[in-house]
Amino acid sequence: MALKRFRSLEARDNWVGYALLTPAILIFIMITGFPVLFSITMSFFRWRPTENTNPFVGFNNYLRVFANPTFLLSLRNTFLYAFGGAFFKVLLGLGLALLLNQKFKGRGIARTLLMLPWIVPITASLTSWNWMFDGMYGIFNIILMRLGIITESINFLGQKGVALMCVMTVGIWLGYPQIMVMILAGLQAITVEQYEAAKLEGATPTQVFFRITLPSLSGVMKTAIILSVIWTFNAFNVIWLLTRGGPSNSTHVMNTLAYELAFVNMKYDQGAAMSVSILIMLAVFLFIYTKMQKENEAQ
């Protein structure tokens, strides 16, 4: 009898929780779910603002997007930007986390300064970077010319290849603080006894790093890598605000190409097809991330 009463109270509490969550869920569906479903639907129709009818075209929009010469370039740039950026973010985040995990004078100030890319509004950051990369008055050109490395100004954001490296640099600078914080939290979870035992056995700092620190951070590192790939894969603002696709579309990624197709060229149907393609790829990364999280919990 008591067990039955306990279950009824638990069920009542659950229903109260569901009732309180319902408005938030409905708002989430309206803000996120409806646009996604609408984009998926739009991708199978011809949808132009200058036309009154929207005939069903099946996968024709996808075929047109894939046949676009800029698509393969944007796909290559997306993977290069996502995986290359993730690699350097994790590498930089790991190095700085190891530094901040040590005790030294001014560590609090160093932590604050290293968090600035995350704290400063992204519009202010990108405005500063745009000025530094300026082909006439940018600080990078001034420094290189005074050092005698170059004799004439370089248009960093206007040259193929160079522009992509510049936006990747900005993306890494903006993204490393999140990775650094994750790895720093993982480092602080490693017990001091492990390091003390290694020192007693005469282990070198290199051996300690590869046999204790790195294995202990394996779960955090995997999570950091996949999250960094997802965050960077979904990037838009850095590339669009700095280059708008760059010279000869050389810095276009899939997100910026989708935006250009939909809102610059007014091809909403092809922009939707591109967006759905991005959604599918992100779903694959999310599946990998979820699987890794389950494996970490099982360990």
Side-chain angles (χ1 to χ4, degrees), residues 167-226:
V167 295
M168 281 186 66
T169 301
V170 177
I172 293 165
W173 183 81
L174 289 170
Y176 82 81
Q178 296 98 315
I179 307 300
M180 180 184 70
V181 170
M182 292 175 64
I183 296 175
L184 184 59
L187 285 170
Q188 293 176 349
I190 303 173
T191 59
V192 180
E193 288 77 10
Q194 290 179 274
Y195 290 117
E196 290 178 349
K199 287 181 180 179
L200 289 173
E201 292 180 4
T204 64
T206 305
Q207 290 174 328
V208 170
F209 176 75
F210 284 104
R211 295 184 182 181
I212 297 177
T213 305
L214 209 56
S216 300
L217 291 173
S218 60
V220 176
M221 293 283 284
K222 289 177 183 177
T223 303
I225 291 169
I226 194 66

Side-chain angles (χ1 to χ4, degrees), residues 91-255:
L91 192 65
L92 184 60
L94 175 61
L96 293 174
L98 289 170
L99 174 66
L100 294 178
N101 198 44
Q102 306 298 319
K103 292 181 180 180
F104 59 89
K105 190 176 181 180
R107 184 172 64 170
I109 298 174
R111 286 185 178 183
T112 303
L113 292 175
L114 290 172
M115 291 298 294
L116 281 179
W118 200 6
I119 298 169
V120 176
I122 192 166
T123 51
S125 297
L126 295 181
T127 301
S128 300
W129 279 102
N130 198 14
W131 170 75
M132 289 190 288
F133 284 131
D134 187 81
M136 291 294 293
Y137 308 106
I139 189 67
F140 293 134
N141 271 312
I142 293 172
I143 292 172
L144 291 175
M145 290 183 73
R146 288 188 177 179
L147 291 175
I149 298 175
I150 60 174
T151 56
E152 58 182 18
S153 298
I154 300 173
N155 187 6
F156 289 100
L157 298 177
Q159 291 188 11
K160 293 178 67 175
V162 178
L164 184 60
M165 291 176 61
C166 290
V167 295
M168 281 186 66
T169 301
V170 177
I172 293 165
W173 183 81
L174 289 170
Y176 82 81
Q178 296 98 315
I179 307 300
M180 180 184 70
V181 170
M182 292 175 64
I183 296 175
L184 184 59
L187 285 170
Q188 293 176 349
I190 303 173
T191 59
V192 180
E193 288 77 10
Q194 290 179 274
Y195 290 117
E196 290 178 349
K199 287 181 180 179
L200 289 173
E201 292 180 4
T204 64
T206 305
Q207 290 174 328
V208 170
F209 176 75
F210 284 104
R211 295 184 182 181
I212 297 177
T213 305
L214 209 56
S216 300
L217 291 173
S218 60
V220 176
M221 293 283 284
K222 289 177 183 177
T223 303
I225 291 169
I226 194 66
L227 282 178
S228 180
V229 169
I230 292 172
W231 293 333
T232 314
F233 195 92
N234 214 20
F236 169 80
N237 46 19
V238 173
I239 295 173
W240 187 257
L241 293 176
L242 285 179
T243 64
R244 295 186 180 273
S248 304
N249 299 319
S250 61
T251 63
H252 258 314
V253 292
M254 295 181 72
N255 281 308

Side-chain angles (χ1 to χ4, degrees), residues 46-61:
R46 180 178 173 81
W47 205 289
R48 304 293 167 84
T50 56
E51 299 175 1
N52 295 324
T53 59
N54 308 116
F56 178 78
V57 295
F59 289 95
N60 192 39
N61 288 322

